[in-house]
C-alpha cells in the first residue's frame, strides 16, 4: 500500500522535519545541551539531537533534570529539557514550578502520544485512563508562560518561535508538546534564516522620558539615597545598567539575598546584604534611614526579607521592574526598567552621598578563635576569603542559603540559590547544569556547591551525571545530622527532622568515578579546613571533589534563626 503524498510539503522551499526545526531554533538561541530522560513518546525526536549538533544529557530522573536545566539557564541565559508524556513530565513539574517562581527560562518539550490516539481517546499507557490527553498540559499551563501544543504542521513553526521568544524575553518556562506523528512532519525550514527576535519591547519614548525626569527630580533632591538590587535585576538582564549606576552614582549600594552577585562586591560603595532584621551589620540602619531607595528588581518574599521584616516605606521608594516602574505610589505600567535605568545613568548629575557600611569577610569578634568547631558564624566569612574571582557559588535551601549572606564575594562571582521556591535538593541538580554550562562556554570558573546532608539525600544521584559528563565542581556536603532549617522552624529534636547517616564520600566511587579522576575529603575541624583551603591542588578544581564538612547539629546562621522564628509565628496564625 502506497502512502499518500504530502502535497503541502511539496510546496515548501526548504522542507524540514518539525523536530529538526525545533532543535535548530534552540541551538540558535544558545542551547548546546538538552537535559531530560528518554521515553517511548520522545525517542524518535531524540534521534535528531546529534543531527543538529546538540548534546544529550540524560539525568537519573526528571526532577533532577529540571533542576539541572534551571542551573544551566542561570549561566547561559536559556535551557531546554525533554520528558515523556504523563509520567515523565509530572516528575519534572516541581523543578519547572521553581523556575517559574524564580524567573528562569526553560523550554520544556514533552514527547506526546500521536494526534490520532488523542483524537480517538485511546487508553494509551501513561494516560489517566479517562481519554483526557490535555490534563497534563492544563497542569503545566499554570507554571508556564506559554503552552504550545503542536497538532498541525502549518502552525508548528509559529508556535515554536513564539514559545522560545516568550521563554527568553519573559524569563520563565514554556511548555511544548511534540506528538509522535508530528516529529517528522515537514515545515518551512527557510524560517531559520531569520533569527528569533529576543529583544524586549521598547518603551514608549514619551512615557520613558517622563518617568526618567520624575526619578531624576527625586534623586537629585534626596539627602541620603541608596541603591538596593534584587533577583529580577539578574533575571531580566539589567546587570550592565546596575553596574554603571552603582559606579557612576557612588551611592551606598546593597543587595537582597536573592540579588547576591548582582553588584560587584569589591566596589567601595558596596555595603552588604539588606534583609530586614537579618541584614549584615550596619546595613539595616543605613537602608531604613535613607530618604530615597532605588529598588531594582525586588522580590519581597519571606525568606528574602527575614520573615517580612523589610521596613522601607513606599513613600521613599522607587521600584524598577521588567515591565513597570513605581515612583512612590505612582505606577507606570508597560515602562520597562532597562531603558529607564540607562537614561538615568546618562542624565544623572552630582548626587548627595552619605556613606554606608563597608562589607568585609572579617570573622565576627564574638567568634572564639581558639575553638576548633566549624560554626556557621566562622565558616561563611572564611569561605569569602577563599573564593576567587568569577567563581560560581551554589547554595542549598537551608543553612547555606542564609550563611552565604555573610560572605563578601570577589569580583565577578555568580550566585545561584532558590530562596523563593525553596525546594530542598535543588542545588545538586542545579550544580550539574551550571557546571555543564560553564564548561560549554570555555570558562575556567570554579563551580562550588554548599549543600546540607538532608537536602543532598534527595538528589544525590545527580553526582552520577556530573561524573559521567566529566564535570569538576567542588561539592561541600555539610554534615549536621538532619534537616536543620526545619529544626529551626519547629521540632528541634523531633524524629521527623532526623535522617539516616550516609557514608557520603563513598558515593563518589560508587557512582562510577575512576581512581585519579576525583578526590574526597573529610573535614571535622577548622584546622583541617584551613589546610584544605591552603591546598593549591584542591583549590584549582582539577577534577570532581567532594568535601564532607562536619558542623554542629543545632547551629544555624543568625538570619536563618530569625527567619525560622518568623515562619513559625506566621504558620501559627489563624
Amino acid at each position: 500500500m502506497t502512502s499518500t503524498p504530502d502535497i503541502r510539503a511539496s510546496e515548501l522551499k526548504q522542507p524540514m522535519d518539525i523536530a529538526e526545526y525545533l532543535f535548530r531554533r534552540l541551538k540558535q538561541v544558545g542551547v548546546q545541551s538538552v537535559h531530560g530522560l528518554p521515553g517511548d513518546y520522545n525517542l524518535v525526536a531524540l534521534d535528531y539531537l546529534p543531527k543538529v549538533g546538540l548534546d544529550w544529557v540524560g539525568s537519573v530522573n526528571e526532577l533532577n533534570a529540571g533542576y539541572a536545566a534551571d542551573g544551566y539557564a542561570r549561566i547561559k541565559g536559556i535551557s531546554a529539557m525533554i520528558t515523556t508524556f504523563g509520567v515523565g513530565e509530572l516528575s519534572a513539574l516541581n523543578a519547572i514550578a521553581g523556575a517559574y517562581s524564580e524567573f528562569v527560562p526553560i523550554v520544556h518539550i514533552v514527547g506526546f502520544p500521536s494526534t490520532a490516539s488523542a483524537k480517538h481517546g485511546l487508553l494509551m499507557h501513561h494516560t489517566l485512563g479517562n481519554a483526557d490527553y490535555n490534563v497534563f498540559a492544563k497542569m503545566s499551563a499554570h507554571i508556564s508562560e506559554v503552552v504550545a501544543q503542536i497538532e498541525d504542521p502549518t502552525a508548528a513553526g509559529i508556535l515554536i518561535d513564539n514559545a522560545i521568544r516568550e521563554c527568553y524575553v519573559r524569563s520563565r518556562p514554556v511548555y511544548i508538546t511534540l506528538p509522535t506523528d508530528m516529529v517528522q512532519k515537514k515545515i518551512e525550514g527557510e524560517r531559520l534564516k531569520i533569527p528569533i527576535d529576543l529583544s524586549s519591547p521598547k518603551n514608549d519614548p514619551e512615557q520613558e522620558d517622563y518617568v526618567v525626569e520624575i526619578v531624576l527630580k527625586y534623586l537629585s533632591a534626596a539627602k541620603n539615597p541608596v541603591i538596593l538590587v534584587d533577583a529580577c535585576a539578574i533575571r531580566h538582564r539589567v546587570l550592565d545598567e546596575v553596574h554603571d549606576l552603582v559606579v557612576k552614582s557612588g551611592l551606598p549600594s546593597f543587595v537582597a539575598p536573592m540579588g547576591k552577585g548582582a553588584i560587584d562586591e569589591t566596589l567601595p560603595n558596596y555595603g552588604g546584604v539588606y534583609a530586614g532584621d537579618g541584614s549584615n551589620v550596619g546595613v539595616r540602619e543605613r537602608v531604613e534611614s535613607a530618604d530615597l531607595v532605588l529598588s531594582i528588581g525586588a522580590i519581597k518574599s519571606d525568606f528574602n526579607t527575614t520573615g517580612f521584616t523589610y521596613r522601607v516605606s513606599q513613600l521613599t521608594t522607587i521600584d524598577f521592574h521588567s515591565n513597570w516602574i513605581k515612583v512612590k505610589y505612582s505606577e507606570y505600567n508597560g515602562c520597562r526598567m532597562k531603558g529607564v535605568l540607562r537614561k538615568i545613568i546618562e542624565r544623572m548629575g552630582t548626587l548627595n552621598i552619605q556613606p554606608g557600611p563597608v562589607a568585609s569577610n572579617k570573622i565576627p569578634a564574638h567568634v572564639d578563635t581558639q575553638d576548633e568547631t566549624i560554626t556557621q558564624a566562622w565558616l561563611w566569612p572564611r569561605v569569602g576569603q577563599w573564593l576567587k574571582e568569577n567563581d560560581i557559588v551554589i547554595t542549598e535551601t537551608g543553612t547555606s542559603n542564609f550563611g552565604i549572606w555573610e560572605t563578601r564575594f570577589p569580583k565577578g562571582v555568580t550566585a545561584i540559590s532558590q530562596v523563593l521556591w525553596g525546594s530542598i535538593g535543588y542545588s545538586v541538580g542545579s550544580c550539574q547544569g551550571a557546571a555543564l554550562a560553564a564548561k560549554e562556554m570555555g570558562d575556567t570558573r570554579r563551580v562550588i556547591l554548599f549543600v546540607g546532608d538532608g537536602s543532598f539525600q534527595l538528589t544525590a544521584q545527580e553526582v552520577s551525571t556530573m561524573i559521567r559528563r566529566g564535570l569538576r565542581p567542588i561539592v561541600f556536603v555539610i554534615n549536621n545530622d538532619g534537616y536543620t532549617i526545619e529544626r529551626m522552624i519547629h521540632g528541634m529534636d523531633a524524629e521527623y527532622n532526623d535522617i539516616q547517616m550516609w557514608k557520603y564520600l563513598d558515593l563518589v566511587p560508587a557512582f562510577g568515578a575512576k581512581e585519579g579522576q576525583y578526590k574526597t575529603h573529610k573535614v571535622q575541624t577548622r584546622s583541617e579546613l584551613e589546610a584544605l583551603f591552603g591546598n593549591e591542588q584542591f583549590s584549582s578544581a582539577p577534577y570532581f571533589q567532594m568535601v564532607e564538612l562536619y558542623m554542629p547539629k543545632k547551629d544555624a546562621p543568625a538570619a536563618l534563626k530569625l527567619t525560622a522564628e518568623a515562619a513559625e509565628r506566621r504558620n501559627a496564625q489563624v
Side-chain angles (χ1 to χ4, degrees):
M1 180 177 179
T2 57
S3 60
T4 304
D6 187 344
I7 298 175
R8 186 195 60 83
S10 67
E11 298 174 349
L12 300 174
K13 295 178 181 178
Q14 186 183 343
M16 182 175 292
D17 293 358
I18 291 177
E20 180 179 349
Y21 180 90
L22 170 59
F23 294 148
R24 289 197 183 279
R25 277 303 200 197
L26 290 175
K27 190 171 178 64
Q28 284 182 345
V29 297
V31 174
Q32 178 55 46
S33 295
V34 178
H35 288 85
L37 270 82
D40 62 331
Y41 294 132
N42 65 29
L43 294 176
V44 176
L46 295 180
D47 288 338
Y48 285 79
L49 291 173
K51 180 178 181 179
V52 304
L54 291 178
D55 298 321
W56 170 247
V57 186
S59 291
V60 293
N61 59 58
E62 288 87 356
L63 177 60
N64 283 9
Y67 289 153
D70 181 303
Y72 185 98
R74 294 191 193 216
I75 298 302
K76 291 202 76 175
I78 191 169
S79 68
M81 70 175 298
I82 301 176
T83 60
T84 198
F85 176 76
V87 295
E89 60 178 304
L90 294 189
S91 292
L93 285 198
N94 179 20
I96 296 297
Y100 185 88
S101 170
E102 301 225 347
F103 292 93
V104 180
I106 301 173
V107 179
H108 183 194
I109 302 160
V110 177
F112 206 79
S114 71
T115 55
S117 298
K119 179 180 178 181
H120 297 294
L122 301 182
L123 297 187
M124 300 291 290
H125 58 285
H126 302 339
T127 68
L128 298 179
N130 61 0
D132 185 354
Y133 280 69
N134 291 317
V135 62
F136 307 129
K138 291 175 184 176
M139 293 179 187
S140 283
H142 296 283
I143 51 174
S144 302
E145 196 64 38
V146 168
V147 171
Q149 294 181 273
I150 299 175
E151 300 169 339
D152 178 0
T154 59
I158 295 172
L159 290 174
I160 290 169
D161 289 1
N162 178 67
I164 293 174
R165 170 179 161 73
E166 292 300 295
C167 179
Y168 183 86
V169 172
R170 298 185 183 276
S171 197
R172 272 184 160 157
V174 295
Y175 177 93
I176 300 175
T177 63
L178 187 57
T180 55
D181 60 331
M182 289 289 112
V183 170
Q184 296 176 312
K185 292 291 185 182
K186 303 295 183 183
I187 62 173
E188 183 56 77
E190 277 215 337
R191 293 177 60 94
L192 294 174
K193 294 180 180 178
I194 302 175
I196 298 173
D197 181 8
L198 299 179
S199 61
S200 296
K202 301 295 183 184
N203 289 331
D204 173 82
E206 189 172 22
Q207 183 193 42
E208 183 177 86
D209 284 339
Y210 176 72
V211 172
V212 169
E213 183 179 337
I214 292 173
V215 173
L216 288 174
K217 180 184 75 171
Y218 285 118
L219 184 57
S220 61
K223 301 301 182 185
N224 62 339
V226 300
I227 297 170
L228 178 60
V229 185
D230 207 346
C232 281
I234 303 170
R235 306 292 191 270
H236 295 290
R237 308 174 185 93
V238 295
L239 292 188
D240 288 343
E241 287 77 10
V242 166
H243 176 78
D244 292 349
L245 178 64
V246 170
V247 171
K248 184 176 179 181
S249 71
L251 294 175
S253 299
F254 309 90
V255 295
M258 289 179 70
K260 280 286 286 182
I263 295 178
D264 176 359
E265 299 188 8
T266 66
L267 291 172
N269 52 326
Y270 172 72
V273 174
Y274 175 71
D277 290 348
S279 303
N280 294 159
V281 175
V283 171
R284 181 178 65 81
E285 295 80 4
R286 182 64 187 88
V287 171
E288 293 175 3
S289 66
D291 62 351
L292 185 67
V293 177
L294 302 183
S295 175
I296 304 174
I299 298 179
K300 298 176 184 178
S301 70
D302 52 353
F303 281 14
N304 205 34
T305 60
T306 317
F308 301 114
T309 57
Y310 187 105
R311 301 184 190 87
V312 177
S313 170
Q314 191 60 49
L315 282 173
T316 58
T317 302
I318 299 177
D319 287 302
F320 298 86
H321 285 279
S322 60
N323 59 355
W324 55 276
I325 308 291
K326 190 172 184 179
V327 181
K328 301 191 175 183
Y329 281 100
S330 298
E331 194 163 318
Y332 303 92
N333 290 314
C335 193
R336 296 165 179 82
M337 62 179 165
K338 193 175 185 71
V340 171
L341 287 171
R342 181 51 62 191
K343 286 188 176 178
I344 289 171
I345 295 161
E346 292 170 352
R347 302 175 186 180
M348 181 172 54
T350 303
L351 305 176
N352 295 312
I353 300 175
Q354 296 293 329
V358 176
S360 75
N361 284 315
K362 291 179 62 177
I363 306 297
H366 65 81
V367 174
D368 183 355
T369 57
Q370 303 303 312
D371 188 355
E372 277 290 291
T373 305
I374 302 173
T375 61
Q376 298 286 341
W378 178 85
L379 175 65
W380 298 106
R382 184 64 189 88
V383 166
Q385 298 168 17
W386 171 70
L387 292 177
K388 297 180 179 180
E389 287 190 4
N390 303 315
D391 281 344
I392 297 170
V393 180
I394 304 155
T395 51
E396 177 60 66
T397 297
T399 58
S400 301
N401 254 358
F402 289 87
I404 204 69
W405 301 7
E406 302 298 329
T407 301
R408 184 183 187 182
F409 288 157
K411 183 176 181 179
V413 168
T414 298
I416 295 178
S417 63
Q418 203 187 49
V419 175
L420 177 55
W421 185 243
S423 181
I424 65 172
Y426 158 81
S427 68
V428 183
S430 181
C431 177
Q432 185 260 96
L436 180 62
K439 181 180 179 181
E440 287 178 0
M441 296 168 73
D443 287 349
T444 56
R445 289 187 285 179
R446 300 186 304 179
V447 177
I448 301 160
L449 167 64
F450 291 94
V451 57
D453 49 3
S455 296
F456 180 75
Q457 289 194 9
L458 271 77
T459 49
Q461 315 98 305
E462 207 55 28
V463 168
S464 173
T465 311
M466 297 182 208
I467 293 168
R468 181 183 181 191
R469 300 293 301 188
L471 304 178
R472 304 181 302 178
I474 301 175
V475 177
F476 290 88
V477 178
I478 297 175
N479 186 334
N480 54 5
D481 199 12
Y483 300 121
T484 299
I485 185 171
E486 314 296 357
R487 294 189 197 281
M488 294 296 143
I489 296 173
H490 185 80
M492 178 62 76
D493 297 305
E495 184 180 6
Y496 49 72
N497 285 327
D498 295 336
I499 60 173
Q500 171 67 22
M501 188 62 68
W502 286 6
K503 296 179 179 179
Y504 295 100
L505 302 183
D506 290 351
L507 291 176
V508 182
F511 284 137
K514 294 180 173 57
E515 192 171 342
Q517 296 179 1
Y518 74 93
K519 199 153 191 178
T520 61
H521 308 268
K522 180 177 287 189
V523 173
Q524 296 177 294
T525 67
R526 292 182 190 176
S527 295
E528 290 173 350
L529 187 57
E530 291 284 7
L532 193 62
F533 281 166
N535 184 316
E536 289 188 12
Q537 184 181 41
F538 168 78
S539 295
S540 68
Y543 33 57
F544 182 92
Q545 296 180 96
M546 181 179 286
V547 181
E548 185 174 5
L549 191 64
Y550 284 77
M551 300 186 73
K553 180 177 180 177
K554 298 182 179 181
D555 186 25
L560 173 53
K561 293 177 182 178
L562 291 168
T563 304
E565 290 168 3
E568 185 171 33
R569 289 194 301 271
R570 189 165 295 275
N571 290 344
Q573 287 179 353
V574 178

